Amino acid sequence: MSRLFGTDGVRGLANGDITAELALQLSVAAAHVLGRSAREQGRRPKAVVGRDPRASGEFLSAAVVAGLASAGVDVHNVGVLPTPAVAFLTGDMDAHFGVMLSASHNAMPDNGIKFFAAGGHKLADAVEDEIAAHIGEEWLRPIGAEVGRVHENRAGQARYVAHLLEVLPHSLDGLTVVIDAAHGAASEVSPEVFRLAGAEVFEIGASPDGLNINDGYGSTHLGRLQAAVRERRADLGIAHDGDADRCLAVDATGTVVDGDQIMAILALALRDRGRLADDTLVATVMSNLGLLQAMRREGISVRQTGVGDRYVLEAMRAGHYSLGGEQSGHVILLDHGTTGDGVLTGLMLAARVAETGRSLEDLASVMTRMPQVLKNVKGVDKSRVESDEEVQAAVSREESSLGDTGRILLRKSGTEPVVRVMVEAETEERAEAVCDRLVDVVRERLSL
């Protein structure tokens, strides 16, 4: 039987996979598991609930709030806010857990439910599985004064904005910034905090109507932001996804600055302030070779993890590192937050531009992105990719040919019969050729 929880909560088609009934049952189960420590101390559990602006979030959040309150949990409903804001408020309000309803960068018909433990931390797999195991079980319902109370708490945005301004190392006075909020959860808070930090702000993708989230705007659709930055002659543009846990950027020329480049810029900024713990950056194995080369030149170590921000976060917490993230724009600044925060990342990036007086284009030039080709080989026995001698021999031959000028990564998908072949080389043509040869070997050797 497959797990109910995926890599980032429970996600699927709203009112299809993710129903009001599931949201109610899941919240009751979470109340029993995540509220246990409070009840053992004779306290009433407290939870923070937020959502992105999808239309389905209206009825799904109502179901979650109802389930929690019926299970004796006091609920602070903070409304539409970014995922990292809900994580922050869970800790800031001393709640026992938090709930966020969002499908992140997915299209509007999807939605999802994710939980945060006390302090705003992501749940361990074992805790998620325990919640899933409690769904549908018989339970003793509180009555009378023992039922949970629901508080419509709209002060959460102000608390989150104050937190962001407090940790900002430099004002944004003199900068012109375009914000693309993907018609998502940061549509109000991101432009607000950039203005309060001193920037002149122009907004696009900041008029959510419940239906237009991620529709042609945001970090997965950068064309409009590139055009707006050039039209406004802005210093930079910042793009979020639907729940604003990621950030990509655009420099004044309209060139995209991806998560790897953002991490390189922030790593140097933190090192220069003496805030880069152990002079180490945590990144996934999918980060560009150019990032690894740039950090090596700068004397910064790179700790690599499996793909997924949860693995980055696990490594950061275990090693007490301060900066990590993914090429996709999930950047974690662990001194200031417990999860990826696209608004915080954008602020820190803009602050570095203001602090140094250098353009974002110049700052991003610290690393040179190597051409990268990624292809999926479907219908193969992914379990044999690491053990097949001919596949591994082909990889070794290509790696020897590339030497220090390239990199190869073969990895199996965690959810489907697919092997992902990634090749980096000094030219797009060479990366494509190497990737095609390896795809042929994988398909020949591992076909089902």
Side-chain angles (χ1 to χ4, degrees):
M1 181 179 176
S2 61
R3 292 185 75 234
L4 174 64
F5 285 85
T7 56
D8 200 18
V10 181
R11 188 179 298 182
L13 181 64
N15 222 22
D17 305 310
I18 310 299
T19 63
E21 293 85 354
L22 175 62
L24 184 73
Q25 293 177 347
L26 192 58
S27 61
V28 168
H32 294 154
V33 174
L34 301 177
R36 182 185 300 137
S37 62
R39 289 190 296 271
E40 289 174 348
Q41 299 168 13
R43 301 170 61 193
R44 188 194 295 255
K46 180 168 74 172
V48 173
V49 177
R51 65 179 181 90
D52 72 22
R54 292 167 208 266
S56 60
E58 296 170 2
F59 74 81
L60 288 173
S61 65
V64 166
V65 169
L68 294 177
S70 73
V73 177
D74 284 343
V75 179
H76 288 261
N77 186 6
V78 297
V80 175
L81 280 178
T83 290
V86 174
F88 165 75
L89 291 169
T90 300
D92 187 58
M93 297 173 64
D94 196 28
H96 297 95
F97 61 99
V99 190
M100 178 68 187
L101 292 104
S102 175
S104 189
H105 59 279
N106 287 25
M108 185 279 290
D110 287 350
N111 215 322
I113 305 171
K114 68 179 78 175
F115 295 94
F116 294 102
H121 299 286
K122 289 191 174 184
L123 302 186
D125 288 351
V127 178
E128 290 179 336
D129 290 341
E130 186 180 1
I131 292 171
H134 279 273
I135 290 178
E137 70 178 6
E138 292 294 324
W139 54 289
L140 183 63
R141 298 170 183 269
I143 59 174
E146 298 304 312
V147 300
R149 303 301 299 273
V150 179
H151 307 274
E152 297 298 327
N153 188 332
R154 295 299 178 261
Q157 179 167 317
R159 295 174 78 151
Y160 176 57
V161 166
H163 159 68
L164 294 174
L165 293 173
E166 183 180 354
V167 303
L168 192 65
H170 195 281
S171 79
L172 308 187
D173 291 348
L175 289 187
T176 301
V177 182
V178 179
I179 303 290
D180 181 350
H183 294 307
S187 293
E188 287 189 16
V189 68
S190 190
E192 177 188 0
V193 73
F194 271 83
R195 287 192 177 100
L196 290 172
E200 181 181 11
V201 177
F202 295 96
E203 306 169 24
I204 65 173
S207 301
D209 61 9
L211 306 178
N212 58 1
I213 188 170
N214 297 321
D215 187 8
Y217 288 87
S219 59
T220 54
H221 305 279
L222 293 171
R224 286 186 170 96
L225 179 60
Q226 292 172 294
V229 167
R230 290 191 293 262
E231 179 185 349
R232 297 292 185 176
R233 298 184 179 180
D235 295 291
L236 70 156
I238 297 295
H240 304 303
D241 60 340
D243 70 336
D245 65 352
R246 73 170 70 179
C247 167
L248 293 180
V250 170
D251 70 22
T253 71
T255 301
V256 174
V257 177
D258 70 10
D260 284 339
Q261 293 168 296
I262 291 172
M263 286 191 290
I265 294 168
L266 296 186
L268 297 185
L270 290 174
R271 184 201 61 185
D272 291 351
R273 297 187 202 110
R275 299 298 299 271
L276 185 65
D278 204 22
D279 282 344
T280 298
L281 168 68
V282 180
T284 77
V285 293
M286 291 299 291
S287 276
N288 195 277
L289 178 60
L291 174 64
L292 308 183
Q293 293 172 336
M295 295 298 93
R296 189 180 305 120
R297 287 195 305 271
E298 296 290 339
I300 294 173
S301 300
V302 179
R303 166 83 183 274
Q304 290 189 277
T305 74
V307 177
D309 64 320
R310 70 182 304 155
Y311 301 114
V312 173
L313 185 55
E314 286 174 5
M316 291 179 69
R317 293 180 67 182
H320 304 288
Y321 302 123
S322 52
L323 178 65
E326 296 185 284
Q327 191 179 66
S328 62
H330 283 110
V331 177
I332 303 168
L333 292 141
L334 204 53
D335 286 346
H336 308 306
T338 58
T339 187
D341 188 331
V343 181
L344 174 62
T345 300
L347 286 168
M348 290 295 188
L349 186 65
R352 185 61 169 173
V353 173
E355 177 185 24
T356 61
R358 298 167 61 189
S359 69
L360 180 57
E361 179 185 15
D362 184 31
L363 290 171
S365 69
V366 67
M367 68 165 278
T368 300
R369 281 187 293 191
M370 301 286 284
Q372 187 179 82
V373 175
L374 173 65
K375 296 189 177 183
N376 294 329
V377 190
K378 300 180 179 179
V380 295
D381 182 359
K382 63 182 181 181
S383 66
R384 295 194 290 118
V385 67
E386 295 168 356
S387 60
D388 188 275
E389 293 182 359
E390 290 196 26
V391 169
Q392 293 304 315
V395 171
S396 295
R397 287 194 301 271
E398 299 291 359
E399 285 178 333
S400 296
S401 174
L402 290 171
D404 293 335
T405 65
R407 186 168 67 105
I408 295 169
L409 177 66
L410 266 67
R411 69 181 187 90
K412 54 191 177 185
S413 166
T415 58
E416 52 186 328
V418 166
V419 171
R420 309 195 195 282
V421 182
M422 188 274 285
V423 178
E424 292 170 339
E426 70 273 20
T427 67
E428 186 84 23
E429 293 76 18
R430 188 171 188 191
E432 187 84 28
V434 172
C435 190
D436 285 343
R437 288 196 293 269
L438 290 174
V439 164
D440 289 342
V441 174
V442 170
R443 186 174 289 121
E444 177 185 344
R445 293 291 303 170
L446 306 182
S447 290
L448 293 171

